[in-house]
């Protein structure tokens, strides 16, 4: 199957939207199937359970903000960062569970 040039350009222009949609769908399908998922939020990795609770797994270095098209040096390799970060989808309220007790947290989905 071959795509026309116009179809190829359309897909290239919307690849980040398609990727975000696919990741969000996989996230909710995993939870709906009764599985837990891992979620990164402000320098911490949480395990999110189907009932909405989440447990702190590990604290990590917060992400570095980058500008699309910016060139950065990573481990001695010069790389062009052509992709943009995906926006955070809004969702239902979640409850956070960590070592210090439970606290309410807003947002849901893989980018909350």
């Amino acid at each position: 199957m071959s795509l026309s040039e116009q179809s190829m350009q359309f897909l290239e222009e919307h690849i980040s939207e398609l990727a975000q949609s696919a990741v969000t769908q996989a996230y909710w399908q995993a939870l709906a199937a009764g599985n837990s998922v891992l979620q990164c939020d402000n320098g911490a990795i949480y395990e999110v359970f189907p009932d909405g609770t989440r447990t702190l797994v590990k604290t990590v270095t917060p992400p570095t903000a980058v500008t699309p098209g910016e060139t950065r040096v990573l481990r001695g390799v010069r790389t062009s960062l052509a992709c943009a970060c995906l926006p955070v989808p809004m969702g239902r309220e979640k409850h956070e569970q960590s070592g210090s007790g439970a606290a309410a947290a807003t947002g849901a989905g893989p980018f909350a």
Side-chain angles (χ1 to χ4, degrees):
M1 175 180 172
S2 104
L3 293 173
S4 69
E5 184 64 28
Q6 184 179 11
S7 296
M8 185 74 74
Q9 286 179 352
F10 177 82
L11 290 173
E12 288 175 354
E13 291 171 2
H14 294 87
I15 192 77
S16 65
E17 296 165 17
L18 295 168
Q20 179 185 356
S21 177
V23 169
T24 301
Q25 182 179 4
Y27 175 90
W28 290 113
Q29 284 179 340
L31 291 175
N35 299 308
S36 63
V37 294
L38 294 178
Q39 178 180 3
C40 189
D41 185 22
N42 293 326
I45 298 174
Y46 294 95
E47 184 175 10
V48 181
F49 298 93
D51 66 359
T53 59
R54 60 189 207 164
T55 304
L56 179 65
V57 174
K58 182 178 182 179
T59 303
V60 294
T61 306
T64 302
V66 295
T67 304
E70 178 181 352
T71 300
R72 301 183 54 99
V73 176
L74 305 172
R75 297 185 190 180
V77 177
R78 192 172 170 95
T79 307
S80 176
L81 299 173
C83 65
C85 294
L86 300 175
V88 177
M90 300 304 291
R92 60 191 170 105
E93 184 174 309
K94 294 283 186 176
H95 297 283
E96 180 178 330
Q97 180 181 2
S98 64
S100 61
T106 60
F111 306 106

